[in-house]
Amino acid sequence: MDSTKAITSKEMMEIEQRAHEMGVTRLLMMENAGAGIAYNIVRVYDEQGRSIKGCKVVVICGLGNNGGDAMVSARHLAYHGADVTVILLGSMDSIKTEEARSNYNILARMRSSIKLIEIKKHLDDDIKSIINSADLIVDGIFGTGIRGDIKDPYASAIDAINSSRAYKVAVDIPSGLDPDTGYAYEKCVKADLTITFHRLKNGLLIDNGKTSGNVIVWNIGIPPEAEQ
């Protein structure tokens, strides 16, 4: 990992804002991020001599843009023939951003290829069983948006993810890992692979793979000028 390219979550937000003002909208960045997640998952599977087709994929989404990125990845993984279940940790009405809401609405129209579940309060045994039996889990709960202690249903979801033998892919940063300090909360996803966007986050550099696993930095179309 190249420490000279690591940035804070605040710096990333400012870069995204400038990119958005240049016309690379947040919706476009979300599409590029989600497509990149799916591309790298398919590539990793290919390198292992496996096919994503028919694999049980569980995509666990929070209510912010990290969840939105994961929702996009679900659509692309369904295109590749994966058996996709999307679990939203909250209600559709509680989704925080227009971009994530737009992508949720797309998934809601894909009932023949994606199973969509909303968790209002707690994970019941049926949901835990779905997570436990997954071949691959995409963690899109928090990303860089983590603030304070982690409570249910997020805490239970993280426990269920870590209890599963599935291959675990974190979106941008493992949920429960502070993106700036690298501090791992008591509830923190232990990922096999983290796909982070545009530039490495300081927390990933400090973590050095302990909770993030292998790290890929993925281009989401942000112009160099947005760095300035």
Side-chain angles (χ1 to χ4, degrees):
M1 298 182 187
D2 186 349
S3 62
T4 63
K5 293 185 180 297
I7 58 174
T8 66
S9 55
K10 182 175 184 291
E11 287 170 331
M12 185 64 195
M13 287 175 61
E14 292 169 349
I15 290 168
E16 287 176 338
Q17 176 61 27
R18 288 193 288 269
H20 180 78
E21 291 169 355
M22 292 175 69
V24 183
T25 64
R26 289 187 177 85
L27 188 62
L28 179 55
M29 286 184 274
M30 183 174 286
E31 182 65 30
N32 291 342
I37 295 162
Y39 171 85
N40 281 288
I41 287 171
V42 171
R43 181 181 59 79
V44 167
Y45 264 58
D46 284 346
E47 288 174 354
Q48 295 173 353
R50 305 161 66 193
S51 173
I52 198 69
K53 187 174 183 179
C55 281
K56 292 182 180 178
V57 176
V58 176
V59 180
I60 305 178
C61 304
L63 299 171
N65 278 347
N66 191 257
D69 295 340
M71 293 174 202
V72 174
S73 77
R75 170 162 41 89
H76 285 271
L77 290 168
Y79 168 82
H80 287 283
D83 178 6
V84 181
T85 299
V86 175
I87 298 174
L88 181 70
L89 299 177
S91 66
M92 177 184 68
D93 295 338
S94 300
I95 293 175
K96 296 175 182 176
T97 72
E98 180 182 345
E99 295 80 18
R101 195 175 303 112
S102 174
N103 277 293
Y104 184 89
N105 289 335
I106 294 170
L107 297 184
R109 299 183 180 100
M110 295 177 64
R111 295 292 184 177
S112 63
S113 57
I114 288 178
K115 292 181 281 294
L116 195 54
I117 301 169
E118 292 182 21
I119 304 297
K120 303 294 171 53
K121 292 182 179 179
H122 304 289
L123 272 68
D124 61 27
D125 289 342
D126 288 343
I127 300 302
K128 291 177 182 177
S129 178
I130 290 170
I131 296 171
N132 191 57
S133 63
D135 298 312
L136 183 141
I137 296 170
V138 177
D139 160 32
I141 302 174
F142 291 131
T144 59
I146 187 169
R147 299 290 184 273
D149 292 335
I150 297 170
K151 301 176 181 178
D152 275 336
Y154 310 110
S156 295
I158 290 171
D159 285 342
I161 292 169
N162 287 336
S163 295
S164 174
R165 295 182 179 181
Y167 188 83
K168 303 169 184 72
V169 179
V171 175
D172 206 19
I173 198 160
S175 294
L177 182 69
D178 188 287
D180 296 325
T181 67
Y183 172 77
Y185 286 76
E186 181 183 353
K187 304 294 185 181
C188 182
V189 169
K190 306 296 190 295
D192 297 293
L193 173 67
T194 297
I195 301 166
T196 198
F197 307 121
H198 183 62
R199 286 178 56 184
L200 190 68
K201 310 310 180 295
N202 283 346
L204 290 171
L205 186 70
I206 296 165
D207 177 69
N208 197 29
K210 290 193 294 292
T211 61
S212 58
N214 295 325
V215 176
I216 293 171
V217 180
W218 191 251
N219 168 37
I220 56 172
I222 293 174
E225 289 78 5
E227 297 263 6
Q228 300 168 4

